């Protein structure tokens, strides 16, 4: 436990088109939209367990090309999942690229349409 009992509440990701990004985060990954205050820019808040992912629609300052092919060598958000194999099947059905973890763990990395890297680690049974 940290000195101040810190936990992660949310991670924010910059996206160029909220509705198109929801196809990945909501429809493929199954994240549930949650209430978002009336902010002066588009976006979406998604609930994942007790934490959230906030999609912020802004001009993307990060290039989507020239990034490391393996998301583990880039800044990324890591999430637990129940089955890496089932997630891999969903990504393949959606035509999305991914790489398996090179650490030997049951994990994979993928990027959303704006180049944000995500790691999915299979939750121990």
């Amino acid at each position: 436990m940290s000195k101040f009992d810190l936990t992660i509440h949310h991670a924010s990701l910059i996206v160029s088109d909220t509705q198109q990004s929801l196809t990945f985060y909501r429809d493929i990954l199954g994240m549930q939209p949650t209430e978002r205050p009336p902010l002066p820019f588009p976006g979406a808040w998604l609930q994942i367990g007790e934490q959230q992912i906030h999609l912020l629609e802004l001009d993307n300052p990060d290039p989507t090309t020239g990034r490391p092919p393996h998301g583990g060598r880039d800044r990324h958000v890591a999430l637990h999942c129940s089955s890496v194999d089932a997630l891999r099947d969903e990504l393949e059905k959606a035509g999305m690229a991914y790489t398996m973890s090179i650490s030997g763990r049951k994990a994979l990395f993928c990027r959303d349409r704006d180049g944000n890297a995500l790691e999915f680690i299979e939750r121990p049974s």
Side-chain angles (χ1 to χ4, degrees), residues 51-100:
Q51 294 77 38
Q52 296 177 355
I53 295 287
H54 292 183
L55 303 180
L56 311 176
E57 186 174 321
L58 303 168
D59 291 336
N60 195 339
D62 295 324
T64 56
T65 59
R67 306 294 285 274
H70 182 62
R73 298 220 19 156
D74 202 354
R75 61 181 173 265
H76 60 274
V77 175
L79 306 169
H80 275 126
C81 67
S82 57
S83 171
V84 165
D85 294 333
L87 175 58
R88 185 182 60 223
D89 292 346
E90 285 299 312
L91 294 174
E92 287 176 357
K93 280 196 285 190
M96 296 191 67
Y98 63 88
T99 57
M100 299 306 294

Side-chain angles (χ1 to χ4, degrees), residues 17-35:
D17 184 305
T18 301
Q19 292 310 308
Q20 288 187 21
S21 293
L22 283 172
T23 299
F24 174 60
Y25 289 96
R26 180 193 58 213
D27 302 342
I28 295 172
L29 297 180
M31 294 182 185
Q32 296 300 308
T34 191
E35 188 175 339

Side-chain angles (χ1 to χ4, degrees), residues 35-46:
E35 188 175 339
R36 178 179 181 264
L39 298 171
F41 55 88
W45 289 5
L46 302 157

